[in-house]
Amino acid sequence: MQRLKNQVALVTGASSGIGIAVAKALAAEGAQVVVNYRSSKSEALQVVEEIEAEGGVAIALQADVSDENAVQQMFAEMFAAFGTIDILVNNAGMQKDANLVDMSLADWQKVINVNLGGTFICAREAAKEFIRRGVISERSCAAGKIIFMSSVHDIIPWAGHSNYAASKGGMKLFMQSIAQELAQYKIRVNSIAPGAIKTPINREAWETAEAREKLLKLIPYGRIGVPEDIGKAAVWLASDDSDYVHGETLYIDGGMTLYPGFATGEG
Ligand code: BGC
């Protein structure tokens, strides 16, 4: 199937983890993909190579999403290469974990600036182009689609990770507010909220048998997620199959948000 044929997709933070799977899944559906990276150039080029090997189209573009000038430069390069944008996946994100009393202001700001500020800059630049261009009906019913990569921690509080949880909680209302604002232009805005997905960001949580056992207690469905679980959902949210889905958060977490501690009914 080529559900995203002729569409241009920008995936931020696409040189690792969930971003790689999303970039590949969108490309497999016919999208021309911009693989954004901040510092991992060779990894990004590897993703481009793998997409091309499957017959897809991709380029790698560098930008730190929290740097306004760098993002604007990246958008200009994307427009030069592919002409426009149809799909933005605001995926770039990071953790800098510490208990509150040990957390530096720098680590607070870094996580908020990248996870939340970066999505603001990219969403603004994409929305400007979506509004300028409008709907091209051969491509999609919508003038553009924005997908945020949130987290179960946009609703599950997370001790020791308060900067990260604050960035994702903030993302939830940012997403909903711009969904309200942009609907009139036929721009669809949604979030994916992954649970524990096996990627470098949470290596500690799955690397040892002991850690895995502890983690699985939080996942009713009994397995740790893989990036492809998220890639498939991103394709659906980017495609016209989800044309009536707007302002939603799709939790993809094997049931992590079901309060598994209450599973026995004893309270
Ligand atoms: C975090 C991971 C964590 C998962 C579930 C994600 O948003 O980045 O480190 O394993 O949430 O707690």
Side-chain angles (χ1 to χ4, degrees):
M1 269 201 290
Q2 292 274 291
R3 282 183 284 177
L4 306 175
K5 197 167 157 38
N6 296 327
Q7 296 191 52
V8 178
L10 166 61
V11 183
T12 65
S15 58
S16 87
I18 288 173
I20 296 179
V22 170
K24 286 184 170 177
L26 297 180
E29 290 284 343
Q32 306 167 74
V33 177
V34 175
V35 175
N36 158 257
Y37 66 97
R38 187 197 48 185
S39 48
S40 311
K41 186 174 184 179
S42 58
E43 287 84 349
L45 291 174
Q46 171 78 26
V47 177
V48 169
E49 232 174 71
E50 286 171 19
I51 288 174
E52 287 173 344
E54 297 289 316
V57 177
I59 56 170
L61 291 179
Q62 195 279 335
D64 174 340
V65 293
S66 65
D67 178 338
E68 186 174 31
N69 290 331
V71 170
Q72 286 174 331
Q73 176 67 31
M74 170 173 68
F75 270 74
E77 287 165 9
M78 171 170 62
F79 296 156
F82 295 136
T84 189
I85 180 172
D86 301 280
I87 299 156
L88 166 67
V89 184
N90 264 326
N91 169 77
M94 58 159 56
Q95 288 181 216
K96 283 192 173 290
D97 308 327
N99 290 329
L100 175 63
V101 293
D102 300 319
M103 191 180 288
S104 67
L105 179 59
D107 281 358
W108 167 266
Q109 284 170 337
K110 182 85 189 153
V111 168
I112 297 291
N113 289 349
V114 171
N115 296 10
L116 189 54
T119 67
F120 155 69
I121 301 170
C122 293
R124 186 190 63 193
E125 295 308 305
K128 284 196 273 188
E129 172 63 4
F130 295 154
I131 292 168
R132 182 199 68 75
R133 194 206 53 228
V135 176
I136 301 178
S137 53
E138 305 81 61
R139 292 186 183 196
S140 173
C141 315
K145 281 86 54 162
I146 301 176
I147 299 168
F148 287 80
M149 205 53 72
S150 184
S151 164
V152 290
H153 299 295
D154 70 4
I155 51 164
I156 303 180
W158 205 12
H161 307 74
S162 56
N163 50 358
Y164 182 83
S167 74
K168 299 298 184 177
M171 185 187 277
K172 188 175 175 67
L173 272 173
F174 176 54
M175 181 278 287
Q176 290 173 315
S177 300
I178 66 169
Q180 206 180 51
E181 187 174 323
L182 297 175
Q184 62 182 312
Y185 303 106
K186 294 206 80 66
I187 298 168
R188 283 199 302 116
V189 186
N190 292 287
S191 288
I192 295 173
I197 308 296
K198 199 170 175 185
T199 71
I201 208 174
N202 58 2
R203 184 177 297 282
E204 268 174 24
W206 49 262
E207 211 165 29
T208 64
E210 206 185 344
R212 272 199 304 278
E213 198 190 319
K214 211 168 132 213
L215 179 58
L216 284 170
K217 290 206 172 86
L218 299 175
I219 310 173
Y221 199 58
R223 75 166 169 91
I224 300 170
V226 290
E228 291 69 28
D229 290 320
I230 307 302
K232 290 172 197 162
V235 165
W236 182 70
L237 273 183
S239 78
D240 285 350
D241 287 349
S242 62
D243 189 52
Y244 207 46
V245 181
H246 183 57
E248 270 306 323
T249 300
L250 190 55
Y251 291 90
I252 303 183
D253 64 354
M256 191 176 244
T257 38
L258 294 173
Y259 297 95
F262 284 83
T264 58
E266 296 150 11

